[in-house]
PDB file of all heavy atoms in Angstrom:
ATOM      1  N   LEU S1107     -17.585  21.717 -34.085  1.00 91.00           N
ATOM      2  CA  LEU S1107     -17.409  22.729 -33.050  1.00 91.00           C
ATOM      3  C   LEU S1107     -17.333  24.131 -33.641  1.00 91.00           C
ATOM      4  O   LEU S1107     -17.712  25.111 -32.989  1.00 91.00           O
ATOM      5  CB  LEU S1107     -16.156  22.427 -32.224  1.00 91.00           C
ATOM      6  CG  LEU S1107     -16.249  21.212 -31.304  1.00 91.00           C
ATOM      7  CD1 LEU S1107     -14.924  20.965 -30.605  1.00 91.00           C
ATOM      8  CD2 LEU S1107     -17.346  21.404 -30.265  1.00 91.00           C
ATOM      9  N   CYS S1108     -16.833  24.252 -34.883  1.00 90.00           N
ATOM     10  CA  CYS S1108     -16.820  25.559 -35.548  1.00 90.00           C
ATOM     11  C   CYS S1108     -18.250  26.056 -35.763  1.00 90.00           C
ATOM     12  O   CYS S1108     -18.557  27.229 -35.519  1.00 90.00           O
ATOM     13  CB  CYS S1108     -16.079  25.463 -36.889  1.00 90.00           C
ATOM     14  SG  CYS S1108     -14.284  25.342 -36.737  1.00 90.00           S
ATOM     15  N   ASN S1109     -19.146  25.184 -36.231  1.00 88.00           N
ATOM     16  CA  ASN S1109     -20.547  25.566 -36.401  1.00 88.00           C
ATOM     17  C   ASN S1109     -21.177  25.937 -35.059  1.00 88.00           C
ATOM     18  O   ASN S1109     -21.937  26.900 -34.952  1.00 88.00           O
ATOM     19  CB  ASN S1109     -21.328  24.417 -37.047  1.00 88.00           C
ATOM     20  CG  ASN S1109     -20.905  24.178 -38.475  1.00 88.00           C
ATOM     21  OD1 ASN S1109     -20.377  25.072 -39.136  1.00 88.00           O
ATOM     22  ND2 ASN S1109     -21.119  22.970 -38.968  1.00 88.00           N
ATOM     23  N   TYR S1110     -20.849  25.154 -34.039  1.00 89.00           N
ATOM     24  CA  TYR S1110     -21.394  25.417 -32.704  1.00 89.00           C
ATOM     25  C   TYR S1110     -20.955  26.791 -32.200  1.00 89.00           C
ATOM     26  O   TYR S1110     -21.760  27.564 -31.674  1.00 89.00           O
ATOM     27  CB  TYR S1110     -20.934  24.312 -31.751  1.00 89.00           C
ATOM     28  CG  TYR S1110     -21.365  24.501 -30.321  1.00 89.00           C
ATOM     29  CD1 TYR S1110     -22.601  24.044 -29.880  1.00 89.00           C
ATOM     30  CD2 TYR S1110     -20.537  25.139 -29.405  1.00 89.00           C
ATOM     31  CE1 TYR S1110     -23.001  24.218 -28.562  1.00 89.00           C
ATOM     32  CE2 TYR S1110     -20.927  25.322 -28.087  1.00 89.00           C
ATOM     33  CZ  TYR S1110     -22.153  24.854 -27.675  1.00 89.00           C
ATOM     34  OH  TYR S1110     -22.536  25.034 -26.373  1.00 89.00           O
ATOM     35  N   GLN S1111     -19.675  27.107 -32.359  1.00 87.00           N
ATOM     36  CA  GLN S1111     -19.162  28.394 -31.887  1.00 87.00           C
ATOM     37  C   GLN S1111     -19.788  29.552 -32.654  1.00 87.00           C
ATOM     38  O   GLN S1111     -20.109  30.599 -32.076  1.00 87.00           O
ATOM     39  CB  GLN S1111     -17.636  28.438 -32.040  1.00 87.00           C
ATOM     40  CG  GLN S1111     -16.947  29.584 -31.311  1.00 87.00           C
ATOM     41  CD  GLN S1111     -17.027  30.916 -32.050  1.00 87.00           C
ATOM     42  OE1 GLN S1111     -17.194  30.927 -33.275  1.00 87.00           O
ATOM     43  NE2 GLN S1111     -16.923  32.016 -31.323  1.00 87.00           N
ATOM     44  N   GLY S1112     -19.987  29.378 -33.952  1.00 85.00           N
ATOM     45  CA  GLY S1112     -20.580  30.447 -34.738  1.00 85.00           C
ATOM     46  C   GLY S1112     -21.982  30.798 -34.283  1.00 85.00           C
ATOM     47  O   GLY S1112     -22.416  31.943 -34.414  1.00 85.00           O
ATOM     48  N   TYR S1113     -22.691  29.833 -33.744  1.00 84.00           N
ATOM     49  CA  TYR S1113     -24.055  30.078 -33.268  1.00 84.00           C
ATOM     50  C   TYR S1113     -24.068  30.556 -31.818  1.00 84.00           C
ATOM     51  O   TYR S1113     -24.772  31.489 -31.467  1.00 84.00           O
ATOM     52  CB  TYR S1113     -24.883  28.809 -33.417  1.00 84.00           C
ATOM     53  CG  TYR S1113     -26.333  28.984 -33.032  1.00 84.00           C
ATOM     54  CD1 TYR S1113     -27.244  29.531 -33.928  1.00 84.00           C
ATOM     55  CD2 TYR S1113     -26.784  28.598 -31.773  1.00 84.00           C
ATOM     56  CE1 TYR S1113     -28.567  29.699 -33.576  1.00 84.00           C
ATOM     57  CE2 TYR S1113     -28.107  28.759 -31.415  1.00 84.00           C
ATOM     58  CZ  TYR S1113     -29.002  29.312 -32.319  1.00 84.00           C
ATOM     59  OH  TYR S1113     -30.309  29.481 -31.970  1.00 84.00           O
ATOM     60  N   GLN S1114     -23.295  29.902 -30.954  1.00 84.00           N
ATOM     61  CA  GLN S1114     -23.320  30.218 -29.526  1.00 84.00           C
ATOM     62  C   GLN S1114     -22.470  31.426 -29.149  1.00 84.00           C
ATOM     63  O   GLN S1114     -22.641  31.991 -28.076  1.00 84.00           O
ATOM     64  CB  GLN S1114     -22.832  29.013 -28.703  1.00 84.00           C
ATOM     65  CG  GLN S1114     -23.727  27.796 -28.767  1.00 84.00           C
ATOM     66  CD  GLN S1114     -25.022  27.986 -28.032  1.00 84.00           C
ATOM     67  OE1 GLN S1114     -25.825  28.826 -28.412  1.00 84.00           O
ATOM     68  NE2 GLN S1114     -25.235  27.217 -26.981  1.00 84.00           N
ATOM     69  N   LYS S1115     -21.505  31.796 -30.013  1.00 85.00           N
ATOM     70  CA  LYS S1115     -20.630  32.939 -29.769  1.00 85.00           C
ATOM     71  C   LYS S1115     -19.825  32.799 -28.478  1.00 85.00           C
ATOM     72  O   LYS S1115     -19.585  33.765 -27.758  1.00 85.00           O
ATOM     73  CB  LYS S1115     -21.446  34.240 -29.722  1.00 85.00           C
ATOM     74  CG  LYS S1115     -22.261  34.501 -30.980  1.00 85.00           C
ATOM     75  CD  LYS S1115     -21.383  34.554 -32.214  1.00 85.00           C
ATOM     76  CE  LYS S1115     -22.222  34.852 -33.460  1.00 85.00           C
ATOM     77  NZ  LYS S1115     -21.408  34.809 -34.697  1.00 85.00           N
ATOM     78  N   CYS S1116     -19.404  31.581 -28.172  1.00 88.00           N
ATOM     79  CA  CYS S1116     -18.553  31.352 -27.011  1.00 88.00           C
ATOM     80  C   CYS S1116     -17.136  31.054 -27.492  1.00 88.00           C
ATOM     81  O   CYS S1116     -16.904  30.821 -28.679  1.00 88.00           O
ATOM     82  CB  CYS S1116     -19.085  30.197 -26.165  1.00 88.00           C
ATOM     83  SG  CYS S1116     -19.187  28.636 -27.070  1.00 88.00           S
ATOM     84  N   GLU S1117     -16.193  31.092 -26.570  1.00 90.00           N
ATOM     85  CA  GLU S1117     -14.802  30.765 -26.904  1.00 90.00           C
ATOM     86  C   GLU S1117     -14.607  29.257 -26.730  1.00 90.00           C
ATOM     87  O   GLU S1117     -14.733  28.738 -25.622  1.00 90.00           O
ATOM     88  CB  GLU S1117     -13.837  31.528 -26.005  1.00 90.00           C
ATOM     89  CG  GLU S1117     -13.853  33.037 -26.195  1.00 90.00           C
ATOM     90  CD  GLU S1117     -13.298  33.442 -27.552  1.00 90.00           C
ATOM     91  OE1 GLU S1117     -12.479  32.677 -28.112  1.00 90.00           O
ATOM     92  OE2 GLU S1117     -13.677  34.508 -28.054  1.00 90.00           O
ATOM     93  N   VAL S1118     -14.309  28.561 -27.818  1.00 91.00           N
ATOM     94  CA  VAL S1118     -14.168  27.105 -27.792  1.00 91.00           C
ATOM     95  C   VAL S1118     -12.686  26.740 -27.828  1.00 91.00           C
ATOM     96  O   VAL S1118     -11.951  27.200 -28.711  1.00 91.00           O
ATOM     97  CB  VAL S1118     -14.907  26.444 -28.968  1.00 91.00           C
ATOM     98  CG1 VAL S1118     -14.680  24.933 -28.951  1.00 91.00           C
ATOM     99  CG2 VAL S1118     -16.393  26.756 -28.905  1.00 91.00           C
ATOM    100  N   ILE S1119     -12.262  25.926 -26.877  1.00 92.00           N
ATOM    101  CA  ILE S1119     -10.885  25.407 -26.826  1.00 92.00           C
ATOM    102  C   ILE S1119     -10.971  23.884 -26.873  1.00 92.00           C
ATOM    103  O   ILE S1119     -11.453  23.252 -25.938  1.00 92.00           O
ATOM    104  CB  ILE S1119     -10.151  25.870 -25.556  1.00 92.00           C
ATOM    105  CG1 ILE S1119     -10.124  27.396 -25.473  1.00 92.00           C
ATOM    106  CG2 ILE S1119      -8.726  25.308 -25.538  1.00 92.00           C
ATOM    107  CD1 ILE S1119      -9.486  27.935 -24.194  1.00 92.00           C
ATOM    108  N   LEU S1120     -10.518  23.311 -27.966  1.00 91.00           N
ATOM    109  CA  LEU S1120     -10.545  21.859 -28.168  1.00 91.00           C
ATOM    110  C   LEU S1120      -9.167  21.300 -27.830  1.00 91.00           C
ATOM    111  O   LEU S1120      -8.164  21.721 -28.412  1.00 91.00           O
ATOM    112  CB  LEU S1120     -10.921  21.538 -29.618  1.00 91.00           C
ATOM    113  CG  LEU S1120     -10.902  20.072 -30.039  1.00 91.00           C
ATOM    114  CD1 LEU S1120     -11.856  19.245 -29.205  1.00 91.00           C
ATOM    115  CD2 LEU S1120     -11.239  19.942 -31.521  1.00 91.00           C
ATOM    116  N   VAL S1121      -9.098  20.349 -26.893  1.00 89.00           N
ATOM    117  CA  VAL S1121      -7.822  19.828 -26.388  1.00 89.00           C
ATOM    118  C   VAL S1121      -7.675  18.365 -26.796  1.00 89.00           C
ATOM    119  O   VAL S1121      -8.559  17.544 -26.519  1.00 89.00           O
ATOM    120  CB  VAL S1121      -7.737  19.960 -24.852  1.00 89.00           C
ATOM    121  CG1 VAL S1121      -6.364  19.506 -24.361  1.00 89.00           C
ATOM    122  CG2 VAL S1121      -8.006  21.392 -24.426  1.00 89.00           C
ATOM    123  N   PHE S1122      -6.544  18.060 -27.449  1.00 87.00           N
ATOM    124  CA  PHE S1122      -6.227  16.681 -27.817  1.00 87.00           C
ATOM    125  C   PHE S1122      -5.010  16.220 -27.013  1.00 87.00           C
ATOM    126  O   PHE S1122      -4.028  16.957 -26.854  1.00 87.00           O
ATOM    127  CB  PHE S1122      -5.931  16.558 -29.313  1.00 87.00           C
ATOM    128  CG  PHE S1122      -7.146  16.669 -30.180  1.00 87.00           C
ATOM    129  CD1 PHE S1122      -7.327  17.755 -31.009  1.00 87.00           C
ATOM    130  CD2 PHE S1122      -8.131  15.691 -30.144  1.00 87.00           C
ATOM    131  CE1 PHE S1122      -8.460  17.878 -31.807  1.00 87.00           C
ATOM    132  CE2 PHE S1122      -9.265  15.797 -30.930  1.00 87.00           C
ATOM    133  CZ  PHE S1122      -9.433  16.889 -31.761  1.00 87.00           C
ATOM    134  N   ASP S1123      -5.076  15.001 -26.533  1.00 81.00           N
ATOM    135  CA  ASP S1123      -4.032  14.426 -25.685  1.00 81.00           C
ATOM    136  C   ASP S1123      -2.874  13.923 -26.544  1.00 81.00           C
ATOM    137  O   ASP S1123      -3.038  13.009 -27.349  1.00 81.00           O
ATOM    138  CB  ASP S1123      -4.621  13.270 -24.875  1.00 81.00           C
ATOM    139  CG  ASP S1123      -3.728  12.860 -23.729  1.00 81.00           C
ATOM    140  OD1 ASP S1123      -2.503  12.958 -23.879  1.00 81.00           O
ATOM    141  OD2 ASP S1123      -4.253  12.437 -22.689  1.00 81.00           O
ATOM    142  N   ALA S1124      -1.691  14.545 -26.373  1.00 73.00           N
ATOM    143  CA  ALA S1124      -0.481  14.084 -27.063  1.00 73.00           C
ATOM    144  C   ALA S1124       0.539  13.607 -26.038  1.00 73.00           C
ATOM    145  O   ALA S1124       1.746  13.786 -26.196  1.00 73.00           O
ATOM    146  CB  ALA S1124       0.112  15.195 -27.933  1.00 73.00           C
ATOM    147  N   TYR S1125       0.040  12.975 -24.972  1.00 57.00           N
ATOM    148  CA  TYR S1125       0.863  12.563 -23.827  1.00 57.00           C
ATOM    149  C   TYR S1125       2.043  11.692 -24.230  1.00 57.00           C
ATOM    150  O   TYR S1125       3.150  11.830 -23.732  1.00 57.00           O
ATOM    151  CB  TYR S1125      -0.036  11.820 -22.834  1.00 57.00           C
ATOM    152  CG  TYR S1125       0.669  11.286 -21.611  1.00 57.00           C
ATOM    153  CD1 TYR S1125       0.863  12.089 -20.499  1.00 57.00           C
ATOM    154  CD2 TYR S1125       1.136   9.976 -21.565  1.00 57.00           C
ATOM    155  CE1 TYR S1125       1.489  11.612 -19.373  1.00 57.00           C
ATOM    156  CE2 TYR S1125       1.769   9.486 -20.441  1.00 57.00           C
ATOM    157  CZ  TYR S1125       1.943  10.318 -19.339  1.00 57.00           C
ATOM    158  OH  TYR S1125       2.576   9.835 -18.232  1.00 57.00           O
ATOM    159  N   ARG S1126       1.809  10.780 -25.182  1.00 57.00           N
ATOM    160  CA  ARG S1126       2.835   9.785 -25.522  1.00 57.00           C
ATOM    161  C   ARG S1126       3.619  10.145 -26.782  1.00 57.00           C
ATOM    162  O   ARG S1126       4.314   9.308 -27.341  1.00 57.00           O
ATOM    163  CB  ARG S1126       2.178   8.409 -25.697  1.00 57.00           C
ATOM    164  CG  ARG S1126       1.603   7.850 -24.400  1.00 57.00           C
ATOM    165  CD  ARG S1126       0.942   6.510 -24.625  1.00 57.00           C
ATOM    166  NE  ARG S1126       1.865   5.518 -25.126  1.00 57.00           N
ATOM    167  CZ  ARG S1126       2.706   4.819 -24.376  1.00 57.00           C
ATOM    168  NH1 ARG S1126       2.715   5.011 -23.078  1.00 57.00           N
ATOM    169  NH2 ARG S1126       3.516   3.930 -24.916  1.00 57.00           N
ATOM    170  N   VAL S1127       3.507  11.377 -27.232  1.00 62.00           N
ATOM    171  CA  VAL S1127       4.276  11.797 -28.407  1.00 62.00           C
ATOM    172  C   VAL S1127       5.699  12.122 -27.966  1.00 62.00           C
ATOM    173  O   VAL S1127       5.905  13.048 -27.190  1.00 62.00           O
ATOM    174  CB  VAL S1127       3.629  13.028 -29.079  1.00 62.00           C
ATOM    175  CG1 VAL S1127       4.483  13.495 -30.239  1.00 62.00           C
ATOM    176  CG2 VAL S1127       2.226  12.695 -29.542  1.00 62.00           C
ATOM    177  N   PRO S1128       6.710  11.356 -28.435  1.00 63.00           N
ATOM    178  CA  PRO S1128       8.085  11.598 -27.987  1.00 63.00           C
ATOM    179  C   PRO S1128       8.543  13.007 -28.330  1.00 63.00           C
ATOM    180  O   PRO S1128       8.328  13.503 -29.447  1.00 63.00           O
ATOM    181  CB  PRO S1128       8.902  10.537 -28.740  1.00 63.00           C
ATOM    182  CG  PRO S1128       7.901   9.512 -29.168  1.00 63.00           C
ATOM    183  CD  PRO S1128       6.623  10.249 -29.383  1.00 63.00           C
ATOM    184  N   ARG S1129       9.141  13.677 -27.348  1.00 59.00           N
ATOM    185  CA  ARG S1129       9.709  15.013 -27.510  1.00 59.00           C
ATOM    186  C   ARG S1129       8.668  15.999 -28.038  1.00 59.00           C
ATOM    187  O   ARG S1129       8.981  16.974 -28.696  1.00 59.00           O
ATOM    188  CB  ARG S1129      10.924  14.982 -28.447  1.00 59.00           C
ATOM    189  CG  ARG S1129      12.075  14.131 -27.895  1.00 59.00           C
ATOM    190  CD  ARG S1129      13.255  14.153 -28.842  1.00 59.00           C
ATOM    191  NE  ARG S1129      12.912  13.560 -30.128  1.00 59.00           N
ATOM    192  CZ  ARG S1129      12.912  12.243 -30.352  1.00 59.00           C
ATOM    193  NH1 ARG S1129      13.228  11.420 -29.369  1.00 59.00           N
ATOM    194  NH2 ARG S1129      12.608  11.761 -31.539  1.00 59.00           N
TER     195      ARG S1129
END
Side-chain angles (χ1 to χ4, degrees):
L1107 289 177
C1108 286
N1109 292 337
Y1110 177 87
Q1111 193 280 336
Y1113 184 82
Q1114 294 289 64
K1115 303 302 181 184
C1116 59
E1117 294 292 334
V1118 177
I1119 302 176
L1120 176 59
V1121 184
F1122 287 112
D1123 195 327
Y1125 178 86
R1126 293 179 61 82
V1127 177
R1129 297 181 297 278

